[in-house]
């Protein structure tokens, strides 16, 4: 399987998913958009994964590559009809690229929080296999406020109604982070915008303790990532994900 990863910041990688995909022997192509990399022709890829970042979906003047990225996401999902997985900013970009909206929250959601499956999530091909309630790491001040057409919410919580969504059969976005590695919290706290948001949301003292609080949850985050990865494999092997080459399946 060939996986195209759109990255917006060096420390916001696919994390656990990179490890899983590499172990499975898949071909990974990382595009660092913030460093000037250009999005390649999409037709030869099987899965598009879009990561998080400190920029906002509407900041096209500051980050002109967002225009091409949104166009690529729309083409991937609507024209090529192939599996998509977006995390945080990648979740918001999926919504906006396909006609939805994302706006600032009254109160940013940062730190460990609980989310729960919705009714649609309990019958979803991927989310039905996950725990009904999950502890997640949140680090965002923007949320999806208007869903694109043909979209269902598969996980939610009181702070952010659209914690996870599915567009059509094969495009998924999650607002929270489960891709994190043991070094991720410290790496993100080194980013001024992230550190400011963290301190504003939970206070300096709690921010200093966050890495230790997250550590016990890392094994569960990994198990959930493994389950999502298994579901994405199924999508790539389905008609929705592989109609560009029906004979090609995941190794």
């Amino acid at each position: 399987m060939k996986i195209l990863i759109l990255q917006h910041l060096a420390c916001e990688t696919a994390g656990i998913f990179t490890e899983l995909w590499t172990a499975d022997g898949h071909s990974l192509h990382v595009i660092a958009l913030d460093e000037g990399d250009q999005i390649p022709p999409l037709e030869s890829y099987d899965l598009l994964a879009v990561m998080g970042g400190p920029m906002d979906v509407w900041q096209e003047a500051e980050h002109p590559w967002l225009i091409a990225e949104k166009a690529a996401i729309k083409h991937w999902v609507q024209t090529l009809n192939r599996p998509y997985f977006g995390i945080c900013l990648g979740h918001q970009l999926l919504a906006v690229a396909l006609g939805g909206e994302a706006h600032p929250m009254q109160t940013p959601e940062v730190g460990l929080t609980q989310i729960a499956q919705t009714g649609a999530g309990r019958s979803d091909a991927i989310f039905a296999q996950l725990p009904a309630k999950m502890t997640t790491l949140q680090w965002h001040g923007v949320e999806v406020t208007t869903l694109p057409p043909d979209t269902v919410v598969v996980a939610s919580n009181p702070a952010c109604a659209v914690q996870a969504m599915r567009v059509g059969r094969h495009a998924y976005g999650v607002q929270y982070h489960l891709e994190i590695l043991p070094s991720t919290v410290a790496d993100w706290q080194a980013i001024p915008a992230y550190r400011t948001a963290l301190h504003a949301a939970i206070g300096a003292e709690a921010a200093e303790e966050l890495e230790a609080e997250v550590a016990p949850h890392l094994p569960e985050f990994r198990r959930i990532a493994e389950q999502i990865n298994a579901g994405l494999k199924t999508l790539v092997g389905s008609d929705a994900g592989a109609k560009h080459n029906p004979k090609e399946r995941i190794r």
Side-chain angles (χ1 to χ4, degrees):
M1 175 165 66
K2 291 183 66 177
I3 302 173
L4 181 63
I5 302 171
L6 302 185
Q7 193 168 288
H8 312 102
L9 192 67
C11 67
E12 286 233 38
T13 70
I16 290 171
F17 291 97
T18 297
E19 294 183 356
L20 296 175
W21 293 333
T22 300
D24 284 343
H26 302 317
S27 173
L28 309 185
H29 187 182
V30 178
I31 300 298
L33 292 170
D34 62 312
E35 297 178 10
D37 290 354
Q38 300 298 304
I39 299 174
L42 302 175
E43 284 70 19
S44 67
Y45 294 94
D46 301 291
L47 172 66
L48 176 60
V50 181
M51 299 299 104
M55 59 288 302
D56 292 313
V57 292
W58 55 82
Q59 291 185 312
E60 295 176 355
E62 298 90 334
H63 309 286
W65 42 263
L66 281 167
I67 299 171
E69 184 176 24
K70 292 173 189 175
I73 291 170
K74 182 176 182 179
H75 180 69
W76 179 270
V77 176
Q78 292 188 338
T79 302
L80 298 182
N81 194 37
R82 299 180 194 173
Y84 175 99
F85 183 55
I87 296 175
C88 199
L89 178 62
H91 163 78
Q92 298 162 12
L93 285 169
L94 173 64
V96 172
L98 299 182
E101 296 181 358
H103 294 287
M105 306 170 69
Q106 279 195 326
T107 303
E109 187 181 24
V110 183
L112 292 170
T113 69
Q114 290 281 316
I115 67 169
Q117 290 177 354
T118 63
R122 289 190 289 273
S123 61
D124 180 75
I126 292 179
F127 272 74
Q129 312 306 315
L130 305 181
K133 294 184 178 180
M134 293 175 277
T135 299
T136 61
L137 177 63
Q138 307 278 355
W139 212 310
H140 66 107
V142 173
E143 64 180 335
V144 174
T145 54
T146 302
L147 296 174
D150 195 23
T151 298
V152 295
V153 178
V154 294
S156 183
N157 76 0
C160 175
V162 188
Q163 287 287 351
M165 64 183 182
R166 187 191 74 241
V167 183
R169 290 179 53 205
H170 57 285
Y172 285 83
V174 298
Q175 182 59 72
Y176 50 92
H177 295 277
L178 47 79
E179 80 282 12
I180 62 172
L181 300 170
S183 64
T184 299
V185 171
D187 291 342
W188 289 359
Q189 289 209 48
I191 305 300
Y194 286 1
R195 186 174 183 84
T196 298
L198 180 64
H199 283 213
I202 65 176
E205 184 176 346
E208 294 305 317
E209 297 172 354
L210 182 60
E211 185 175 4
E213 290 182 3
V214 168
H217 297 278
L218 292 176
E220 179 63 13
F221 290 168
R222 187 178 189 92
R223 284 191 290 271
I224 292 172
E226 289 171 345
Q227 291 172 295
I228 289 178
N229 185 50
L232 292 173
K233 288 181 181 182
T234 301
L235 290 178
V236 175
S238 70
D239 290 339
K243 62 170 59 178
H244 63 292
N245 186 354
K247 293 183 180 179
E248 183 176 348
R249 294 294 184 266
I250 296 176
R251 293 191 292 269

